[in-house]
Amino acid sequence: MDERFTLTGPRTPLPPPPVKRPWHEGKPVAAMVTLAVIVLGCLGCELFIPKDPAYMDLFRPSEAPGPAFWFGSDPMGRDIFSMIWYGGRVSLLIGFLSAGISTALAALFGTVSGLAPRRLDELLMRLTEIFLSIPSLLLIVLLQAVLGKAGVVSLSVVIGVTGWTGMAKVVRAEVRRLRESEYVLAARCMGAGFFHVLRRHLAPNFFSSIMFMAVMSIRSAIAAESTLSFMGLGLPLEVVSWGSMLSLAEKALLSGAWWIILIPGAFLVVTLLCVTSIGSWLRGEGNDQGSNL
């Protein structure tokens, strides 16, 4: 090209600089902070609560909130403020433990069904649909009656065993989508076992899809424990939890001691709302990642 000539034309506009979004935009910061405060308060309650939650001050039963009892006392004279934090530790333990059990069962069952031949896959899915057709609360009551007296571990196992079916169907759909991938086929051709393929290749890909359901199962487990205790089928009164505190609701309503049901119920509702908000945000994040793929 002759250097005496210069090409001219419309100048291509430069792309606008990327706008940096604040780190908190679109995130449920208030729910995260509130849930963190509740969890940390329950875990470290020995540091700021001098009273024993099991101590019964029989001279001051059902006392209204005041300087001696910040949140009042229950009909047995126990300090509700201490019971809130110590009982929250039990309720959160049941929620996380049962969610871990149900997530593990869903991942295992869904992966087996997704990798199985067509006839076996259909049989496993029919079994899953049968479990889904039975009310979960009825299954929990039936299994707990078989196991006997309710405890923290037994109640967590029962809730976890009955809450995996919906998550398993999602895992099965993701596994069927991923099982023909080159890296999965290569691993199976090289002799990789079932659990190796599940741990190294399948679980990292479908975990984001079930993260929302895993978080929501924590909420469902805490609500189920509270419902069973309210019905008198959950933890015994000597085991302090939010559910066992709500089991005194009938006596509280008859005696006009509103603080016995209102304050534990408020903590329970706030925790469930925080978990729900975080779970909804995780579902939106998972959908965004899926659309980007």
Side-chain angles (χ1 to χ4, degrees):
M1 180 182 295
D2 194 341
E3 296 180 357
R4 294 176 298 175
F5 297 94
T6 304
L7 296 176
T8 60
R11 177 177 297 179
T12 304
L14 296 175
V19 180
K20 293 189 65 176
R21 298 172 58 186
W23 64 269
H24 57 81
E25 185 176 344
K27 298 180 180 178
V29 179
M32 292 179 178
V33 172
T34 304
L35 185 61
V37 170
I38 293 176
V39 172
L40 292 177
C42 293
L43 293 178
C45 53
E46 293 94 345
L47 301 177
F48 62 93
I49 296 181
K51 292 185 178 181
D52 183 2
Y55 176 72
M56 300 181 186
D57 191 347
L58 300 180
F59 294 100
R60 310 179 76 172
S62 300
E63 185 170 325
F69 300 100
W70 291 355
F71 287 173
S73 63
D74 70 348
M76 291 177 282
R78 297 179 296 181
D79 181 34
I80 292 181
F81 182 76
S82 302
M83 295 172 67
I84 284 287
W85 298 105
Y86 280 93
R89 181 185 299 181
V90 175
S91 296
L92 291 173
L93 175 61
I94 292 175
F96 281 97
L97 184 57
S98 61
I101 294 173
S102 60
T103 303
L105 288 175
L108 183 61
F109 191 92
T111 304
V112 170
S113 180
L115 295 177
R118 183 176 63 87
R119 292 186 180 274
L120 181 58
D121 176 40
E122 292 178 354
L123 175 61
L124 294 177
M125 284 298 100
R126 296 296 84 76
L127 291 175
T128 304
E129 291 170 359
I130 291 174
F131 273 103
L132 279 172
S133 64
I134 304 174
S136 59
L137 188 60
L138 181 61
L139 274 177
I140 292 173
V141 172
L142 177 62
L143 292 177
Q144 190 60 60
V146 172
L147 293 178
K149 186 177 180 181
V152 175
V153 176
S154 64
L155 197 58
S156 302
V157 171
V158 168
I159 296 175
V161 166
T162 57
W164 57 271
T165 48
M167 204 183 309
K169 293 177 72 70
V170 177
V171 172
R172 178 252 184 189
E174 290 294 320
V175 169
R176 289 186 66 85
R177 181 179 63 85
L178 296 169
R179 68 178 184 177
E180 301 300 332
S181 301
E182 295 180 357
Y183 53 89
V184 175
L185 293 175
R188 298 178 69 180
C189 291
M190 294 174 65
F194 170 80
F195 288 101
H196 176 83
V197 174
L198 172 61
R199 184 181 70 256
R200 297 294 300 273
H201 302 291
L202 296 177
N205 288 283
F206 67 65
F207 189 72
S208 60
S209 301
I210 66 171
M211 177 68 75
F212 162 74
M213 303 184 73
V215 172
M216 297 303 286
S217 63
I218 299 174
R219 183 202 67 172
S220 301
I222 296 175
E225 182 269 327
S226 302
T227 303
L228 290 174
S229 297
F230 181 79
M231 297 168 59
L233 302 173
L235 297 173
L237 286 177
E238 59 268 18
V239 180
V240 179
S241 71
W242 290 341
S244 64
M245 295 175 69
L246 291 176
S247 64
L248 302 172
E250 182 181 354
K251 297 179 180 178
L253 293 176
L254 293 176
S255 62
W258 53 267
W259 57 90
I260 297 177
I261 183 173
L262 181 62
I263 297 177
F267 269 81
L268 177 62
V269 169
V270 168
T271 302
L272 297 182
L273 288 176
C274 291
V275 174
T276 303
S277 179
I278 295 172
S280 300
W281 171 70
L282 289 174
R283 179 173 59 179
E285 289 290 313
N287 293 336
D288 292 343
Q289 293 178 3
S291 61
N292 292 334
L293 292 176

